[in-house]
Structures are given as structure tokens and as C-alpha cells.
Amino acid sequence: MTTDNHCNLNSNARSIFKLRRAYWLIGTTFLLGDYVTGASIANAQTNTTLPPVTVESPTQARRPARAASATPSRARAIATRRNATPPPAPPTPTERAIAAAAAKYEQILGYRAMPDATTLRGATSPLNTSQVVNVVPQQVISDQRPRNLDDALINISGITQTNTLAGTQDAVIRRGFGDNRDGSIMRNGMPIVQGRSFNPAVESIEVLKGPASLLYGIMDPGGIVNTISKRPELYQHGEVTLEGATYGSRSGANATIDITGPLGKDGLAYRFVGYGINEDYWRNFGTRKETLYAPSLAWYGDTTTVQINYEHRDFYSPFDRGTAFNSVTKAPFAIPATRRIDEPYNSMWGTSDLIQASVDQKINEDWKVYAGYSYNVETYNAAQLRNTVVNPTTGIATRSNDGTYGALTSSSFGTGYIQGGFWIGGMRNEVLFGGDAQYRVIYRKDLVRQGAANFNIFNPVYDRQLPGTTVVATDSDQTDKLSTQSLFFQDTLHLTNRVAVVGGVRYMTFDQLAGRGRNPFIANTDLSGNKALPLGGVILKVTDEVSLYASYTESLKPNSTIAPNGAVFDSQTKPEEGVSWETGIKFDINKRLSGTVALYDIDKKNVMLSQYNTVTTTNEARTAAAARSRGVEVDVTGKLTDSWSMIASYAYTDAILTQDSQYTGNHLQNVALNTGSLYLVYDFGTMLPGRLRVGAGAHYVGDRPGDAANSFVLPSYTVADAFATYETKYQTLPVIYQFNIKNIFDKVYYPSAVSLPNVALGDARRFSLAATVKF
């Protein structure tokens, strides 16, 4: 990158003339290249080095002492000259913001993993905790351009995909446990329920591993995923991006705008992220459309920070349950990966809204208070023609013409806590105390169930069916309401400068009602309860950059279902309960290279299983006695040298049913024994007229059972990706071109399965070319 590229950050605001010139440049780029770019990160935090800010005046040479006999008039003249140049003013909030961005710019570019305070409910360093936090940094997201949360989390150990509800939901398994809509996806430390949580308003992603119930309440023992929003900044800058992409003959484009800056001079700042996409689906039919509007405000006071962010999203996407496996050979049917075996009207459309507000108040040097509130709602409709059975010889598929209309999911969540420290008996105590409450509703109004004509997957003929219209009263008004209230306390006691012990407990109560049916409504789940969940740990700081840790944690999640199982889950039904032991090492070398090595053992009882019944053609839920997950995880991210950066992971996850009436010894569905990833980036720096960065990598997922019965196996796969970015300038405006290839070798792979007739397919090879203009 040349020195001239840095000039754009020395002033707060750019003129309208330059903004128009930026838009003209984007249009020219699009016409010349036929593809132009997608989202990237704020100017100071990605591809342009910020200039240093001088906050102290230069040292003045000392004048020799004057003789005592100087005349009064001469003395007054000297004093006047000395006072003619006033001392420099202290730095403004804008200057401080630019200086802070300049200080961390190279760290971000070098894949520096910096966890957000919301993940651990405070600003504690990960080296001083007894749990693991793995980060997908913002520059990794900018370089790899993941399309959804599953795609971004290929960089984190111990994570695989599970049932995405035909590609419309985030669904990640952590350490062997997890499902879609399991409450594990957060935004800024607060739960969200919208189907897809990753979008251009997200800056980075963090995974808190292991049972996170002490901080987050009802949760699977694998951990939580926290998506971090882009925040307003106190200096004026922005960027506009256009991107074109193609899956062979199928193509599309998207555009992003990201602008931030101060409002006045008193610490108030704004940010606006806008995004739109219209592209063909990579299979033989389907379209993806989405728009996002994400304004936010922040006020940065001396001791107070207030954040308010809002997101509105409209979406239209394919509802694609993938392909089918042969029930005899247990292998995929010999049909092209691009061939859909449903109908062109299979799609989901809807809207989501998210509003969050938080206040950080510093009381003194030792204590601070945090309060936050989040409300998230999503409404959608979905039409689908679903395969129930596929004849292994003829390829004739029996299908059900289904639909969901008037669906609504919402979550209201509030939390508050106080964090601080004090000395007692010569030992430092760091205390966290607070509480939270959540009310979550999952509701599906009209459920369509209708027969359909058979369909030959070897010789498909489409458009013989229309979307179903028969609303079935006994399946409609599907409802799942969950209410929780909790208090939590955690204390980290530093016995010495190197040794600390951690203890904590969460006490929570919960009520859940779930069922289905219209006149009458039948409650299949009606339960309430309470539980105290403890946490304990030990931390040994070997050096300031390396620590060892060990921990014991517990988790709880009520068993519930909306499906008629012939029995009602009530307060006599035991919840899923997990116990985890973990130990490992964490390191942060020279604030350049950080990582973790973790060994864990999780035991979980009263586990609910879902298994496809070929007679009823439905997934039936029941509880199993116990499951266990043991494993080793390695995660490393950061700079290897001044030119090389990397993010890498490996996990060995042995997750099995230890006690069950049918499946004792079976491996858990969609959980791979081995997974790994490696992504390397080389930065040519100023060797060229512009700044060139190139990177490539791959991720591997081993064999996984496709159902609870382990009746078939999803084969292992390795998928490789690559990118190159080149930063140049147009006059004083930085321009960044980026080329990405996803799935370089066009690998056909199967990331997850629900059942033999419904197996998900990974995306085909995708080329994209993006151009970003910063101003």
C-alpha cells in the first residue's frame, strides 16, 4: 500500500463532489469488469493504514537565563513573545478515534483475534478465564466472504452442520450437540431467533465453547455463537461495494454501503449499513433475494457508553431439502448435484427485525455496570413439496405438498450485571453479579398438508403441481413458548499473580408450553422447573502470554416437543442435563499469534432423539438415556511473520449414545469424528505499486452418520477456497479489487442430513469479483 492511500483518514468528512466521484468510479469498474464488489469493513479497520496522531507538542529548547538586571520593559516584551504561541489543544474525540484505529489496523489485517466484551459478560482477557473463546476475526470474514454462519464457522474447531430446515436456518453442532432454533445464536451477547444471523452488519463471530449456562442460561453443552455488530465510530469514513458472482451459467450481483462518523463534537456517532442481493440459486432453479437496512447510534462519554442498533431484513430464498440417498445402497442416487427433486415454487419469504440497546456505566476504576435489552422478531411463509420415500430401483419419489403460512418467531430479552474487583486478605477478587430474563415464542399459524403426484428423480418433469392449499387444523397453530428468569454470580479469586480459582452459580426458573392443533389445541409440553447450575475452575498463568486452565461446568435444557408423541411432557419429565470437565492451554504471543488447545469430556442425560419413521414418513422425537462427547480441539489465528497470516483448527470429537433402548453405542447424528481447517494469507505490502494480498485454504469434515439409527453415512469431504485483493487508488480515494473462488475443485459434498430422502448439498464452485471504493 502506498503512503498516498492513507490520506483519506486525516480529515473527518469528504465533500459531496468526492462522494459522487466515488459512485462514478464504481459504475466504471462494474462496466469494465462485469463484476464488482461486496461488503468490506470500515476504512481504518481493514485495508488502509491510518496516520499517527500527535497528541503532545514537541519539546522546546530551554532558553538561557537572563541577567537579573534586565529592564522591566524588556521583561514584559519577552513574556509577551513567550505567550504568543499557546500550548496545543488536547486531542479531540475524532483524533483519539483515528489514533486508536491506526494502532490496531495491522493487528486486524494480521488476523488478530480480539474477543468482544459481550461474550464473557465483561472485558476479561481470555487468558484469565477457565473457558475457551474462539474468534473468526473481521479480516477473515472480509477475505473469505462467507455466505452464512455455517460457512464462517468452518474456521472454528469442533463444529459441523445439522438440519438447516432446507437451507433457511442457522444450524451448528458444537462439540457434538446442537440444533437449529436451540437458542445458542447471539448478537452482542443477547439471543436472537431469526433464521439467518450473519449479514454485512456483522463484524466478527465468537464461539464460547463448552457449557455456557452460567452466563447464558438454558443451553446445549456445546457452547454459544456470538455475532458481533459493526459499531459507530468517531471519525467520518465509508465505503461502497459492488460484487458480481457466478455458478457457471447462473449468476447474480449484490451491493453494500457502510458509512460511519461523528454527529457533533460531544461523542455521538452514527453508522449505516445497507445491503441488497439478487442472484440465481446454484441448482437448476431458484432465486435468492435480500435487502438489509442497519442503522445504529452510539454515544461515547468519559465514563458512559450507550449503543443502539436496529436491523430490518427482507428475504426470499429457495426452500431446498437437497437430494436423496438410496435406501438399499445407502449412497447418493446417481443424478446431477444441480438437479432439484422438488418444485420451482419451493421457497421461503419473510421479514425480520432486530433492535438492541445497551448501556455501559463506569462507576470508578474498579467497578462498572452493564444493562442491555434485545427484541427480535421474524415472520415468514414457506411452500414446499417434500420427498417422503424414494424407490431405490425406479427412482419414483412419493411426495407431500406442504406449506407453512403465518409463521412468527420472537424473543424479548433483558440483562443487567455489575462487574468489579476488590482486595481481601491480600488477594484480588474479580466479581460478576447479575440477572436476565427471556420470553421466546415460536408460532406457525396455518400448516398445509396435501397429497401430490409421484415424481421420477431420474426423469424429472416440473410444474405439474401447484402449491398446496389444504390447511390441516390438527397440525396448525403450532406453538412453543418459553419463559426464563435467572440470577448469576461468578468470582475469580487471584491467590497469587499467577494462580486464580473461579467459582460461580446460576439459579434459574423456567416455564414452557408447546403443542399444536386448532380447536382444540393439544399441549404436548407443559412444564416448569428451577435449577442451580455451578461452575468451577483453576487458572495458572505460566507467563504473561501463556496460561493453563481446568474447569467444571453444568448445563440444563428442558425436553419439549410440539409433535404428538402419545404423551405429554410435563414437570415430571426430566430435562436434558450436561456435565463437562475440561482442561487446556491458551496463548497470546506478542499480541500476534493466539490460540487454544482444549481437552474435554461432556456427559449428557435425558437426551432427545429425532428419527425418521418410514411408515409414518415423519421424524419422531423421543428421549434417550445418555450421551457422551469427548474430544481434543486446537485453534490458532494470527501472524506467523510480517507477511504471513493464518487461521487454523483441528478437532477430534467422539460423540456417542452411551445408554439407549435401541441405539446404545451409536454415534450422534451429523457429528464428524475428525474436522480441520487451514487458511494462509501472504501480504506483499509495498513491494508493488498497490498492495496485493493473496490467500488460500481448505477445510475437511470426516464421515458422519446421517441419522440417529446410523443407518447411512455422509462421506467425508475437503473443500478448497482462494482469494486475492489488490488495493490501488483513484486520485486520493482507495479502491480495492477482490477476487474469490469458493469450492475451487467443484467438490460435490453433503454437509448434513435429516433422513435418507432429505440430505443437504454443499454449494458448487462460485467465482466472484468485487470492487470497493473508500471515502
Side-chain angles (χ1 to χ4, degrees), residues 113 179 358 391 442 540 624:
D179 203 350
S358 65
N391 186 292
I442 300 173
L540 172 62

PDB file of all heavy atoms in Angstrom, residues 113 179 358 391 442 540 624:
ATOM      1  N   ALA A 113      -7.066 -11.963  16.813  1.00  0.00           N
ATOM      2  CA  ALA A 113      -8.323 -12.385  17.432  1.00  0.00           C
ATOM      3  C   ALA A 113      -8.525 -11.610  18.721  1.00  0.00           C
ATOM      4  O   ALA A 113      -7.820 -11.823  19.705  1.00  0.00           O
ATOM      5  CB  ALA A 113      -8.287 -13.884  17.715  1.00  0.00           C
ATOM      6  N   ASP A 179     -28.686 -27.805  17.518  1.00  0.00           N
ATOM      7  CA  ASP A 179     -29.742 -27.945  16.521  1.00  0.00           C
ATOM      8  C   ASP A 179     -30.129 -26.547  16.054  1.00  0.00           C
ATOM      9  O   ASP A 179     -29.658 -25.540  16.608  1.00  0.00           O
ATOM     10  CB  ASP A 179     -30.950 -28.660  17.124  1.00  0.00           C
ATOM     11  CG  ASP A 179     -31.819 -29.318  16.057  1.00  0.00           C
ATOM     12  OD1 ASP A 179     -31.588 -29.059  14.857  1.00  0.00           O
ATOM     13  OD2 ASP A 179     -32.716 -30.086  16.418  1.00  0.00           O
ATOM     14  N   SER A 358     -27.953  -0.921  24.745  1.00  0.00           N
ATOM     15  CA  SER A 358     -27.123  -1.270  25.899  1.00  0.00           C
ATOM     16  C   SER A 358     -26.476  -0.021  26.471  1.00  0.00           C
ATOM     17  O   SER A 358     -26.251   0.975  25.759  1.00  0.00           O
ATOM     18  CB  SER A 358     -26.041  -2.278  25.509  1.00  0.00           C
ATOM     19  OG  SER A 358     -25.129  -1.720  24.589  1.00  0.00           O
ATOM     20  N   ASN A 391     -38.189 -44.659  -4.308  1.00  0.00           N
ATOM     21  CA  ASN A 391     -37.998 -46.059  -4.672  1.00  0.00           C
ATOM     22  C   ASN A 391     -36.562 -46.267  -5.149  1.00  0.00           C
ATOM     23  O   ASN A 391     -36.115 -45.590  -6.084  1.00  0.00           O
ATOM     24  CB  ASN A 391     -38.976 -46.462  -5.778  1.00  0.00           C
ATOM     25  CG  ASN A 391     -38.926 -47.942  -6.090  1.00  0.00           C
ATOM     26  OD1 ASN A 391     -37.941 -48.446  -6.613  1.00  0.00           O
ATOM     27  ND2 ASN A 391     -40.019 -48.627  -5.777  1.00  0.00           N
ATOM     28  N   ILE A 442     -42.241 -19.414  19.464  1.00  0.00           N
ATOM     29  CA  ILE A 442     -42.187 -19.971  18.109  1.00  0.00           C
ATOM     30  C   ILE A 442     -43.620 -20.362  17.740  1.00  0.00           C
ATOM     31  O   ILE A 442     -44.239 -21.172  18.428  1.00  0.00           O
ATOM     32  CB  ILE A 442     -41.256 -21.196  18.032  1.00  0.00           C
ATOM     33  CG1 ILE A 442     -39.825 -20.807  18.434  1.00  0.00           C
ATOM     34  CG2 ILE A 442     -41.264 -21.789  16.626  1.00  0.00           C
ATOM     35  CD1 ILE A 442     -38.880 -21.992  18.549  1.00  0.00           C
ATOM     36  N   LEU A 540      -3.749 -21.098  35.737  1.00  0.00           N
ATOM     37  CA  LEU A 540      -2.340 -20.935  36.067  1.00  0.00           C
ATOM     38  C   LEU A 540      -1.672 -20.153  34.952  1.00  0.00           C
ATOM     39  O   LEU A 540      -1.563 -20.639  33.818  1.00  0.00           O
ATOM     40  CB  LEU A 540      -1.665 -22.305  36.237  1.00  0.00           C
ATOM     41  CG  LEU A 540      -0.136 -22.288  36.391  1.00  0.00           C
ATOM     42  CD1 LEU A 540       0.276 -21.530  37.650  1.00  0.00           C
ATOM     43  CD2 LEU A 540       0.433 -23.698  36.397  1.00  0.00           C
ATOM     44  N   ALA A 624     -33.552 -40.324  24.933  1.00  0.00           N
ATOM     45  CA  ALA A 624     -32.611 -41.419  25.138  1.00  0.00           C
ATOM     46  C   ALA A 624     -32.040 -41.288  26.543  1.00  0.00           C
ATOM     47  O   ALA A 624     -32.162 -40.243  27.188  1.00  0.00           O
ATOM     48  CB  ALA A 624     -31.486 -41.361  24.105  1.00  0.00           C
TER      49      ALA A 624
END
